[in-house]
Amino acid sequence: MWFANFLVAASATMVLPFLSLYIKTLGDFSEAYVQQWAGYVFGLTFLVAFLVSPIWGRFGDKYGRKKILVFTSAGIGISVLLMGFVSSVTELFILRAFMGFVTGFIPTSAALISAQCKKETAGRTLGTLQTGTVSGGLCGPLLGGVLADTVGFQYTFTITGVVIIFASILVAFGIKEVVFKETNAEKKVYTRKEVVMHIIKSPILMSVMMISLVIQAANFSIQPLLALYVHELTRTENLAFLAGFAFSVTGLGNLLATRKWGDLGDRLGHGKILIILLFLSALFFIPQALVTELWQLIILRFLFGLQIGGLLPCMTAYIRHLAPLSVQGEVLGYNVSFRFLGNVVGPVMGGVVAASFGIAMVFYISGFLLVLSGVFLWIAVAREGKRKEDKETHLSA
């Protein structure tokens, strides 16, 4: 499963570095048109994925997660493969929408592994799985850029699509879905409305959902602006390389720390670790607004990456504890929807804030949202602990 996640994550991000350049080859367009449609084509996939992720989660809970993994990976592979043969921006737009519709592989793989492992080791196991996703995300853009320069856009799409289809074959014949049966596990069948109400009535689950949105929004708020910010710190000719390095170093920190944070969550409690990570993330994110040299920014982004590396496995493992086993895929689907919504909200928020108050203000506002999320989760966890304590006292009486 680790290898399949690596292939899908790497292949899905291979085309991102040259998406706007590819649009240029589809017609005689102005720079403004290319920039506008590059934004539409990029954001559409996340928007559609935001809407359909809970549906894939529910289908996985009901019909088996392995089937969903094979279908979604094959769907992504076919959509990417066909992108190499489009003749207009409209066709590319439609295929990116379809790609968003079938973008359920990575969250479904997390749900599958989560359902097959014990609660006591969920954080460590999911942290290990995430290293595959992060590694693929780091290698994908680099490989995509090299392939595009070497063999051209069309062959890059073809190679990428074939690799993702290979990942679906790998899952179909190399993965066995065996659900870990918990003692006294609930066998009740939940309707979609009951699942939504379960989330709404749980302050901790709602906090986790909002944290997913905030983390993605904070991270994506600065991504489109990072090259401009690096340019303010240095006047070197290798601007694109340095901006890419400043971006990738966060992923490197994520890769190094994700398994360790998941292991700590298993031993100390995922709620506690999430609170610590949110405050530490803000601690290393806000000072990025104050740097005067590029090396300072790179160090802070690496330290920030070390913290956010633990957020996803700990959130997934926490949901493993909080949600009934029979609907965990659907609950994780809603969590992924909030993450995709953050992917859409973040760049828009960052652009508006930077245009009005400067890039530094983006760090301040996003950092404040991280702190606020930590405070809300702290309150929710404290209330839940008090509620359980009162219940135990009432039962013992």
Side-chain angles (χ1 to χ4, degrees), residues 17-134:
F18 59 82
L19 204 55
S20 58
L21 298 177
Y22 186 56
I23 292 175
K24 280 187 177 182
T25 67
L26 300 176
D28 185 17
F29 306 126
S30 66
E31 286 295 322
Y33 180 91
V34 171
Q35 292 169 4
Q36 181 182 14
W37 276 95
Y40 291 157
V41 168
F42 178 80
L44 179 66
T45 301
F46 294 120
L47 182 60
V48 175
F50 159 70
L51 297 172
V52 303
S53 287
I55 298 174
W56 287 125
R58 187 170 184 82
F59 283 171
D61 290 332
K62 189 173 182 179
Y63 301 111
R65 298 180 179 101
K66 180 179 174 179
K67 296 175 183 177
I68 302 302
L69 288 173
V70 174
F71 181 81
T72 54
S73 56
I76 295 171
I78 292 170
S79 63
V80 173
L81 183 66
L82 292 176
M83 286 178 198
F85 299 93
V86 300
S87 57
S88 68
V89 178
T90 302
E91 292 174 1
L92 181 63
F93 185 81
I94 293 171
L95 285 173
R96 288 287 296 179
F98 177 73
M99 184 177 176
F101 179 76
V102 293
T103 301
F105 183 89
I106 290 175
T108 303
S109 70
L112 183 144
I113 297 300
S114 175
Q116 293 188 181
C117 66
K118 296 181 179 180
K119 287 183 177 181
E120 294 75 17
T121 60
R124 180 182 179 86
T125 305
L126 291 165
T128 303
L129 181 67
Q130 192 191 349
T131 61
T133 305
V134 175

Side-chain angles (χ1 to χ4, degrees), residues 317-336:
Y318 207 16
I319 290 172
R320 173 80 170 85
H321 285 262
L322 296 170
L325 188 61
S326 60
V327 296
Q328 281 183 15
E330 187 171 357
V331 175
L332 285 170
Y334 282 109
N335 188 52
V336 171

Side-chain angles (χ1 to χ4, degrees), residues 204 207-209 211-212 215 261 264-265 269-281 307-308 310-319 322 370 373-375 377-378 381:
I204 297 181
S207 296
V208 169
M209 301 289 171
I211 288 169
S212 296
I215 286 295
W261 282 122
L264 283 173
H270 296 289
K272 294 177 183 178
I273 297 301
L274 280 173
I275 294 168
I276 293 171
L277 287 173
L278 285 166
F279 288 133
L280 287 177
S281 296
Q307 316 315 315
I308 64 171
L311 285 166
L312 182 57
C314 283
M315 283 189 291
T316 306
Y318 207 16
I319 290 172
L322 296 170
L370 291 171
S373 298
V375 171
L377 182 59
W378 191 351
V381 170

